[in-house]
């Protein structure tokens, strides 16, 4: 123990005294005391071998039996497991030093060590309910170690990836073997003991070995195993087999002595040598750990120096980049100032342009308003002119009626001339008077035609003016509605012009006819003396007159029909009609009444399901079947 205390390294930062005390407790004493025996019920009597002559003592005398208090069975189990753990760790260290080789799977003390360690980890474990029976598995405890020691995660992942291990007990055995080969089993065991409140309280009951002070002692014992090198083949070993039983025969055999002094001296020398070797191996292991930490620190220092150099280089680069960025920032600020000045100049120029455009817009708007007022006044004048033209048209219609009356009088005269040839002279005198009247009428008609031609020329000039004004008005969007009205009015004027042209052509034909009559009158005047010879010619002329009169009658009828079409249709009242005018079917809730927009009569939906454009409306409206046929014929003729 003195050597252990003297070889304590203060620079290592590790308190090895407690660990060496545990190892010394496992080693045989200098006085020749043997290893502590496991407390086992029914074991052989305790034999104690002492070197030298035996002095008289009370031990040889029979002792009186004293009643002892019964201890807790868990404390007895903890004491037994602790003693067995000390014995098996000592046996492992002695055997490895004696043989001087690496331990493998066939080494019996190593197998017993794994069995004892399983019993230690299984002691006081809370059972988990299964299907057939409660199971005590400590694989969860070993899995939870990686929360506090991340390097243990490699062991757990490698154990999980082993396909031949199927039970939690087999995984726990593989984990213990891998930790022992990596010489980190003591560190993980120490972590479990230190974090027992958070880590072990969920898995172990109160009074378990891992929850008491014996767990810390076993953690100190496991530190001595770092001097052992193990080579275990986990893949070939069957780790899923049931839990083994501790074999105490190994420790009982080693405890028998013959009582000779030579044997005791040799055993005493061996025990001292073993303790010295244990201490030597421990110090070597501690030195190896310190050297490893020193190398790690040196590597870290080198890494930090390289990173420091790199950071210095990065700092220089960053300073250079900051300088370049500052220069670029100055350049950008100058460019920004230039751009802002240019933008301000552009904004001022645009403001001036906007002011000029605003003034031009105001002048244009004033001109458009004056033009609009002028066009409006022109429209009012045109409307007045249109009213005058309508009045003239009414006068022309009255003249047509007078012409019709005159034609009727001519018919009567012709019938009277056909009655008697004797009264031809009288009829000729009447014809002279009639011809004179007709001549006067022709002159009046020619005057009216000239007047109408002048009116037509004026209307054409006005239409051209309206077309030009309409083109100007189409450019402005605000006068679209007025343009539509003007277009409709222009269409109506064009329609009226066409009618006037047709009427003028008819009047020209009548003038031509009157000229023919004048020529006939001249021929009759020259051939007045030869009336008897020219009666046949007169009859032929009368027959020609009759044909011309029939044609004029047809034209008059056509004009009447046209006038009827132009007139607005008078709608029949809803109460006046009870059935359809065409199919004569009675009206009801399902068969409703509909007015024809052309004739004004009432029809059903089937007889008036047509739409045609009319002069009185700009859009197609409902018309009956007969009106549709009549309008289609008329439109095709025009």
């Amino acid at each position: 123990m003195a050597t252990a205390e003297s070889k304590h390294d203060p620079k290592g930062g590790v308190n090895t005294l407690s660990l060496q005390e545990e190892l010394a407790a496992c080693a045989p004493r200098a006085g020749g005391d043997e290893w502590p025996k496991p407390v086992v019920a029914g074991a052989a009597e305790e034999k104690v071998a002492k070197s030298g002559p035996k002095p008289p003592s009370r031990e040889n005398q029979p002792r009186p039996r004293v009643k002892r208090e019964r201890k807790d069975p868990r404390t007895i189990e903890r004491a037994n497991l602790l003693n067995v753990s000390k014995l098996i760790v000592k046996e492992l260290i002695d055997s490895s030093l004696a043989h001087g080789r690496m331990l493998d799977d066939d080494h019996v003390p190593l197998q017993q060590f794994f069995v004892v360690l399983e019993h230690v980890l299984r002691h006081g474990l809370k059972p988990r309910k299964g299907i057939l029976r409660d199971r005590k598995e400590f694989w969860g405890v070993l899995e939870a170690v990686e929360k506090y020691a991340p390097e243990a995660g490699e062991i757990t992942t490698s154990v999980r990836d082993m396909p031949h291990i199927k039970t939690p007990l087999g995984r726990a055995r593989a984990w213990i073997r891998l930790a022992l080969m990596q010489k980190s089993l003591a560190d993980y065991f120490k972590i479990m003991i230190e974090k027992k409140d958070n880590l072990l309280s969920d898995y172990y009951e109160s009074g378990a070995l891992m929850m008491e002070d014996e767990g810390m002692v076993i953690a100190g014992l496991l530190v001595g195993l770092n001097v052992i090198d193990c080579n275990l083949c986990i893949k070939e070993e069957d780790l899923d087999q049931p839990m083994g039983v501790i074999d105490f025969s190994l420790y009982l055999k080693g405890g028998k002595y013959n009582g000779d002094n030579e044997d005791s001296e040799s055993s005493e020398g061996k025990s001292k040598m073993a303790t010295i070797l244990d201490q030597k191996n421990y110090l070597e292991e501690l030195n190896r750990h310190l050297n490893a930490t020193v190398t790690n620190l040196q590597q870290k220092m080198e890494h930090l120096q390289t990173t420091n150099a790199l950071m210095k280089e990065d700092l220089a680069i960053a300073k250079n980049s900051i300088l370049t960025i500052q220069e670029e920032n100055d350049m950008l600020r100058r460019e920004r100032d230039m751009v802002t000045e240019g933008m301000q100049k552009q904004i001022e120029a645009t403001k001036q342009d906007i002011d000029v455009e605003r003034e031009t817009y105001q002048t244009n708007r004033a001109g458009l308003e004056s033009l609009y007022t002028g066009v409006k006044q022109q429209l009012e004048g045109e409307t007045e002119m249109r009213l005058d033209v309508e009045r003239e048209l009414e006068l022309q219609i009255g003249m047509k009626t007078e012409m019709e009356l005159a034609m009727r009088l001519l018919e009567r005269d012709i019938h009277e001339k056909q009655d008697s040839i004797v009264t031809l002279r009288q009829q000729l005198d009447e014809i002279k008077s009639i011809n004179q009247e007709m001549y006067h009428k022709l002159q009046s008609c020619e005057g009216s035609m000239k007047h109408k031609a002048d009116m037509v020329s004026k209307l054409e000039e006005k239409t051209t003016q309206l077309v030009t004004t309409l083109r100007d008005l189409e450019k402005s969007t605000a006068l679209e509605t007025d343009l539509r009205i003007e277009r409709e009015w222009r269409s109506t004027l064009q329609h009226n012009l066409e009618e006037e042209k047709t009427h003028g052509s008819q009047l020209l034909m009548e003038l031509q006819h009157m000229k023919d009559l004048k020529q006939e009158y001249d021929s009759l005047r020259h051939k007045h003396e030869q009336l008897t010879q020219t009666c046949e010619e007169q009859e032929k002329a009368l027959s020609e007159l009759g044909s011309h009169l029939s044609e004029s009658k047809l034209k008059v009828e056509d004009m009447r029909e046209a006038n009827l079409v132009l007139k607005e249709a008078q709608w029949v009242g809803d109460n006046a009609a009870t059935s359809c005018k065409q199919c004569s079917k009675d009206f009801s809730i399902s068969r409703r009444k509909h007015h024809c927009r052309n004739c004004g009569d009432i029809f059903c939906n089937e007889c008036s399901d047509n739409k045609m454009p009319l002069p009185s409306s700009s859009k197609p409206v409902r018309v009956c079947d007969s009106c549709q046929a009549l309008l289609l014929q008329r439109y095709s003729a025009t």
Side-chain angles (χ1 to χ4, degrees):
M1 294 298 293
T3 58
E5 291 175 2
S6 62
K7 292 182 180 180
H8 175 66
D9 189 5
K11 295 181 181 180
V14 180
N15 188 9
T16 57
L17 185 60
S18 61
L19 301 177
Q20 291 298 325
E21 286 176 356
E22 295 296 333
L23 289 172
C26 296
R29 295 176 176 81
D33 295 339
E34 62 177 359
W35 290 88
K37 300 298 185 295
V39 181
V40 181
E45 292 181 356
E46 201 173 25
K47 297 179 179 180
V48 180
K50 296 183 179 179
S51 62
K54 298 179 181 179
S57 62
R58 296 178 182 178
E59 292 180 358
N60 296 327
Q61 296 177 1
R63 294 178 181 178
R65 294 182 177 178
V66 179
K67 290 184 180 180
R68 295 179 180 179
E69 295 180 357
R70 294 184 64 184
K71 293 183 179 180
D72 186 14
R74 287 194 176 182
T75 57
I76 297 170
E77 290 175 359
R78 289 200 301 273
N80 290 335
L81 286 172
L82 181 62
N83 291 328
V84 172
S85 300
K86 290 178 180 178
L87 291 172
I88 195 64
V89 169
K90 179 66 177 65
E91 185 68 22
L92 264 176
I93 294 170
D94 290 342
S95 61
S96 65
L97 292 174
H99 293 88
R101 60 182 177 84
M102 189 177 291
L103 303 180
D104 54 3
D105 296 333
D106 297 332
H107 193 63
V108 177
L110 187 62
Q111 294 177 358
Q112 286 296 313
F113 169 73
F114 289 135
V115 172
V116 172
L117 193 59
E118 288 176 13
H119 281 278
V120 168
L121 291 171
R122 195 181 174 88
H123 184 265
L125 193 67
K126 291 181 181 180
R128 293 188 177 182
K129 293 183 179 180
I131 298 171
L132 300 175
R133 59 188 177 84
D134 295 341
R135 295 178 296 174
K136 291 184 178 181
E137 297 171 355
F138 54 90
W139 167 239
V141 180
L142 302 179
E143 271 187 319
V145 174
E146 64 181 355
K147 295 180 181 179
Y148 303 96
E151 59 272 11
E154 298 178 358
I155 299 173
T156 53
T157 52
S158 60
V159 167
R160 287 171 188 160
D161 295 337
M162 291 180 181
H164 65 285
I165 300 174
K166 298 179 181 179
T167 60
L169 181 61
R171 294 191 188 95
R173 288 171 177 172
W175 193 91
I176 292 167
R177 282 160 174 75
L178 288 173
L180 184 63
M181 284 192 288
Q182 293 180 4
K183 297 184 180 182
S184 57
L185 182 63
D187 298 332
Y188 297 151
F189 212 91
K190 187 178 179 181
I191 289 168
M192 285 191 286
I193 297 301
E194 289 176 353
K195 306 290 183 182
K196 61 184 178 181
D197 294 333
N198 298 325
L199 182 62
L200 303 179
S201 59
D202 295 334
Y203 296 96
Y204 289 97
E205 297 175 353
S206 59
L209 190 145
M210 297 292 291
M211 301 294 290
E212 299 295 333
D213 296 335
E214 287 84 352
M216 183 62 73
V217 176
I218 291 172
L221 291 174
L222 293 176
V223 175
L225 297 179
N226 292 332
V227 300
I228 298 172
D229 294 327
C230 300
N231 186 11
L232 305 175
C233 185
I234 298 172
K235 292 184 179 179
E236 296 180 358
E237 190 175 358
D238 186 12
L239 299 176
D240 293 331
Q241 60 186 353
M243 196 168 181
V245 181
I246 301 172
D247 187 10
F248 295 103
S249 61
L250 297 172
Y251 317 113
L252 294 175
K253 287 179 182 178
K256 293 180 180 179
Y257 292 93
N258 295 322
D260 298 333
N261 294 328
E262 295 177 357
D263 294 337
S264 63
E265 289 177 359
S266 62
S267 63
E268 186 178 353
K270 287 180 181 179
S271 63
K272 289 181 179 179
M273 192 69 185
T275 55
I276 292 167
L277 289 172
D278 290 340
Q279 292 175 359
K280 178 186 176 183
N281 291 329
Y282 176 74
L283 292 173
E284 287 177 353
E285 182 67 20
L286 185 63
N287 192 12
R288 187 173 64 81
H289 279 295
L290 291 172
N291 289 328
T293 53
V294 169
T295 53
N296 289 328
L297 290 171
Q298 287 177 355
Q299 290 176 358
K300 289 180 180 179
M301 284 291 294
E302 291 175 356
H303 181 67
L304 289 171
Q305 287 176 358
T306 53
T307 53
N308 191 9
L310 292 171
M311 287 176 72
K312 286 180 179 179
E313 292 176 357
D314 293 336
L315 194 141
I317 293 165
K319 285 181 179 179
N320 294 326
S321 63
I322 286 164
L323 292 173
T324 55
I325 288 165
Q326 285 178 356
E327 292 176 357
E328 290 177 356
N329 193 5
D330 295 334
M331 291 291 291
L332 290 171
R333 284 179 180 175
R334 293 170 187 171
E335 291 178 357
R336 187 189 64 184
D337 295 333
M338 294 172 68
V339 169
T340 50
E341 289 176 359
M343 288 298 292
Q344 286 177 359
K345 291 179 181 178
Q346 289 180 0
I347 288 164
E348 290 175 356
T350 51
K351 282 181 179 178
Q352 292 175 359
D353 295 335
I354 287 165
D355 294 332
V356 172
E357 288 178 357
R358 189 179 293 165
E359 290 176 357
T360 53
Y361 173 72
Q362 289 175 357
T363 53
N364 290 326
R365 186 172 180 181
L368 287 171
E369 286 177 354
S370 62
L371 190 122
Y372 175 72
T373 53
V375 170
K376 195 172 182 181
Q377 290 175 0
Q378 287 180 2
L379 286 172
E380 289 175 355
E382 292 294 332
T383 50
E384 290 177 357
M385 291 294 292
R386 187 176 65 181
L387 293 171
D388 295 335
V389 170
E390 287 178 355
R391 290 169 186 171
E392 289 177 358
L393 287 172
E394 289 177 357
L395 291 172
Q396 290 293 330
I397 290 165
M399 290 174 70
K400 283 180 185 179
T401 53
E402 290 178 357
M403 288 292 292
E404 287 177 359
L405 293 171
M407 293 299 290
R408 288 176 184 175
L409 292 171
L410 285 171
E411 285 178 359
R412 289 176 185 177
D413 293 335
I414 289 165
H415 287 299
E416 289 175 357
K417 287 176 183 179
Q418 288 178 356
D419 292 338
S420 62
I421 296 171
V422 180
T423 58
L424 185 60
R425 289 178 181 180
Q426 294 175 0
Q427 289 176 359
L428 285 172
D429 295 332
E430 291 176 358
I431 286 168
K432 286 179 182 180
S433 62
I434 290 166
N435 283 329
Q436 288 176 359
E437 291 176 1
M438 290 297 290
Y439 180 73
H440 292 299
K441 287 180 180 180
L442 283 171
Q443 289 179 352
S444 63
C445 286
E446 286 177 357
S448 63
M449 284 299 294
K450 288 179 182 179
H451 182 68
K452 287 179 180 179
D454 295 332
M455 290 298 292
V456 167
S457 62
K458 289 179 181 179
L459 287 171
E460 286 178 354
E461 290 176 357
K462 289 178 181 178
T463 50
T464 53
Q465 291 176 0
L466 287 170
V467 168
T468 55
T469 52
L470 286 170
R471 286 177 182 174
D472 295 332
L473 289 171
E474 283 177 355
K475 294 178 182 178
S476 61
T477 57
L479 300 175
E480 287 181 358
T481 54
D482 296 333
L483 283 172
R484 289 176 184 172
I485 295 165
E486 289 297 327
R487 285 174 184 172
E488 292 176 0
W489 185 62
R490 186 180 66 180
S491 62
T492 53
L493 285 175
Q494 287 177 357
H495 184 66
N496 292 327
L497 282 172
E498 289 175 359
E499 289 179 355
E500 289 294 329
K501 285 179 181 179
T502 53
H503 182 63
S505 62
Q506 290 175 3
L507 290 173
L508 288 171
M509 290 173 70
E510 290 178 356
L511 283 171
Q512 187 67 31
H513 182 61
M514 296 302 290
K515 286 178 182 180
D516 293 336
L517 289 173
K518 187 177 180 182
Q519 290 175 3
E520 289 176 0
Y521 174 73
D522 292 334
S523 63
L524 287 172
R525 188 181 60 183
H526 290 296
K527 294 179 182 180
H528 179 68
E529 294 176 354
Q530 298 176 359
L531 287 173
T532 55
Q533 295 177 1
T534 57
C535 284
E536 294 177 358
E537 294 177 1
Q538 292 291 329
E539 288 177 0
K540 290 179 181 179
L542 289 171
S543 64
E544 289 176 2
L545 285 170
S547 63
H548 286 297
L549 286 171
S550 62
E551 289 177 359
S552 64
K553 281 183 178 180
L554 292 172
K555 290 177 181 178
V556 169
E557 289 177 357
D558 292 334
M559 290 178 73
R560 285 177 181 174
E561 288 180 358
N563 289 324
L564 290 172
V565 169
L566 290 172
K567 291 180 181 178
E568 293 182 356
Q570 293 182 356
W571 281 31
V572 179
D574 292 336
N575 297 324
T578 57
S579 61
C580 179
K581 188 176 181 181
Q582 188 172 349
C583 63
S584 300
K585 292 181 180 179
D586 294 333
F587 293 116
S588 61
I589 296 170
S590 60
R591 187 178 289 105
R592 299 179 67 82
K593 298 176 182 180
H594 297 282
H595 281 86
C596 176
R597 269 59 174 178
N598 189 26
C599 63
D601 292 326
I602 296 175
F603 299 90
C604 62
N605 189 20
E606 294 176 356
C607 298
S608 62
D609 192 9
N610 305 307
K611 287 188 177 182
M612 292 291 290
L614 295 177
S616 61
S617 63
S618 60
K619 295 181 180 179
V621 293
R622 184 186 290 272
V623 294
C624 60
D625 295 339
S626 58
C627 291
Q628 185 192 15
L630 182 62
L631 291 170
L632 287 172
Q633 186 178 3
R634 188 175 296 159
Y635 292 155
S636 62
T638 55

